[in-house]
Amino acid sequence: MAMMTPNEGDGVEPIGPLLRRLRVAGGRTQEGLAADLSVRRGYPLEQGSVSRWETHERLPGPASRALLAAEFGVPEEELRRAVALARRLRRQEQRNQSDQENDVFDRRGFMSVSAGAGIAVIQPSSLLSSGRRIGADVPRQLSQRTARLRRLDDFVGGGDTYQMYVRELEATTRLADEGVYSEATGQGLRGIIAEQAQLAGWAAYDAGNYDDARGHYMTALAASRAAEDSSLEANSLAFLAYLEWTVGGGSGIRFATAAYEALGSGTAPVVRALLADRLAWQQATAGNPREADYALGIAEEAIHEHADEPGPDWAYWVDSDEIAIMTGRCWAELHRPLRAIPALEDALGRYDDSRSRDKALYLSWLAAAYLDAGEIEHAAAITARVFDLSEGLASIRPKGRARLMVKRLEPHRSLAPVGALLERAKG
């Protein structure tokens, strides 16, 4: 339970000036503090993260506050109150700039997308039953909102959704920090925070903002553990595994294995399928065909297992086609085109073009498999299709995959389709 008194701001510094004062008092630069915090949490923290905290561009979440409290020897409660004050100051500034922000939303198309999904910007005060009291039904309401927000990711890239997801996460975190509620309601709120932090992390990752993605995933991990939700905890670890693979951190298999091992005996089959899928990917990209095949077998068996109850909404997109696509991607990474091509072509034949980002990504692995099979012109044609689907997407990943394929095709530039593709890529 969390409660703030009306005068909580009295004698409390906003988090930015507080951190800056503590840092300067210790004779440390932002880079130095970032390095010290990196040692505490076991992976790098950029200097920019400290700068964003001190300027209130971003506010440290529960996991970061715990690290800062240990680093400076101050109570976590003091940091929580400092963050709450900074939020109030930032909300006032945002209210003063609301007209300008609405214009930005209109230009980027966020509001039109949100309206189509039945979503408006959250107003935390509307969820309070009286004073700061949060009713028992609030987690369910927030869960429904989060489900609608989650489905935007099917159609637009992370660059379009990230700020929306962050605002939703900040609003829910504010409710949890400033409201008064029962333990059961608090547990539900922590679970929603974990889900929303995963969404924000995924959007940041999709947009290429890897440090922000890692911060959100760590928030999700802390919140899921506080909510005592082993499936959410496992999914947070799986997201970290995928990020590690992308940045070359070397801990992908370790995170993916920990994710699968975190699952309880009553885990929904669709979640087991998802986590086995993620583990298979890490094994495949590490060049371990036997381990990848074993994990894919677990995923295939789990996705067809009968379930008495539906799985969590955050796994709604996982079905037999997604398992088949991951199977094809794994074998493409392992340069086994005869196993990759049938799985990818079968599933992608049912994949709608409206999900352009994911279809473009998956087609890139099909192109790679055809190139490995010696079908060079067909690989070039599929890569051109990847470029087509990638146009206008606020995601760095599809075009990144397309550029990788262009590089692989360069030795075959004498072939007319390849030459045309290389000319297109220059533009």
Side-chain angles (χ1 to χ4, degrees), residues 146-398:
T146 303
R148 295 195 296 273
L149 282 168
R150 184 178 288 116
R151 280 153 179 78
L152 295 178
D153 184 67
D154 286 343
F155 307 105
V156 293
D160 286 334
T161 56
Y162 178 61
Q163 291 300 329
M164 183 185 296
Y165 290 164
V166 167
R167 283 185 171 88
E168 194 80 5
L169 172 61
E170 289 177 344
T172 304
T173 303
R174 191 161 69 246
L175 276 175
D177 278 352
E178 300 179 2
V180 180
Y181 40 80
S182 69
E183 178 55 34
T185 298
Q187 189 170 16
L189 288 172
R190 291 187 286 274
I192 299 300
I193 288 171
E195 291 189 38
Q196 291 177 348
Q198 288 176 3
L199 267 181
W202 174 251
Y205 169 84
D206 192 48
N209 302 324
Y210 298 139
D211 192 58
D212 286 342
R214 191 183 298 278
H216 290 307
Y217 290 156
M218 292 304 294
T219 296
L221 184 61
S224 60
R225 286 173 174 169
E228 300 179 355
D229 189 325
S230 61
S231 293
L232 266 177
E233 176 184 347
N235 200 39
S236 301
L237 290 166
F239 274 124
L240 283 165
Y242 211 70
L243 178 61
E244 281 291 299
W245 165 74
T246 302
V247 301
S251 299
I253 290 179
R254 179 168 59 86
F255 275 124
T257 301
Y260 192 80
E261 292 177 349
L263 298 177
S265 58
T267 301
V270 69
V271 174
R272 283 192 283 109
L274 171 60
L275 273 296
D277 224 28
R278 299 277 177 85
L279 178 56
W281 176 251
Q282 296 298 326
Q283 296 289 2
T285 55
N288 303 324
R290 182 181 302 177
E291 292 83 356
D293 194 28
Y294 179 76
L296 288 170
I298 294 174
E300 179 71 19
E301 181 179 341
I303 202 63
H304 290 103
E305 185 178 325
H306 171 74
D308 294 328
E309 297 181 4
D313 185 79
W314 48 262
Y316 78 94
W317 54 276
V318 182
D319 57 18
S320 56
D321 279 345
E322 290 293 339
I323 301 302
I325 285 169
M326 179 59 83
T327 298
R329 289 174 63 195
C330 286
W331 291 119
E333 284 290 317
L334 290 163
H335 303 287
R336 304 280 186 88
L338 295 183
R339 300 189 71 170
I341 291 171
L344 285 168
E345 286 195 328
D346 180 56
L348 285 171
R350 293 182 291 274
Y351 221 87
D352 194 279
D353 279 5
S354 63
R355 299 172 67 181
S356 54
R357 179 197 59 199
D358 292 346
K359 189 164 186 176
L361 283 167
Y362 300 156
L363 281 171
S364 73
W365 273 281
L366 181 60
Y370 268 112
L371 183 57
D372 284 337
E375 298 288 343
I376 299 167
E377 294 185 355
H378 195 42
I382 296 174
T383 303
R385 178 69 175 138
V386 174
F387 274 112
D388 291 340
L389 289 167
S390 301
E391 289 299 326
L393 283 175
S395 169
I396 69 167
R397 296 187 297 142

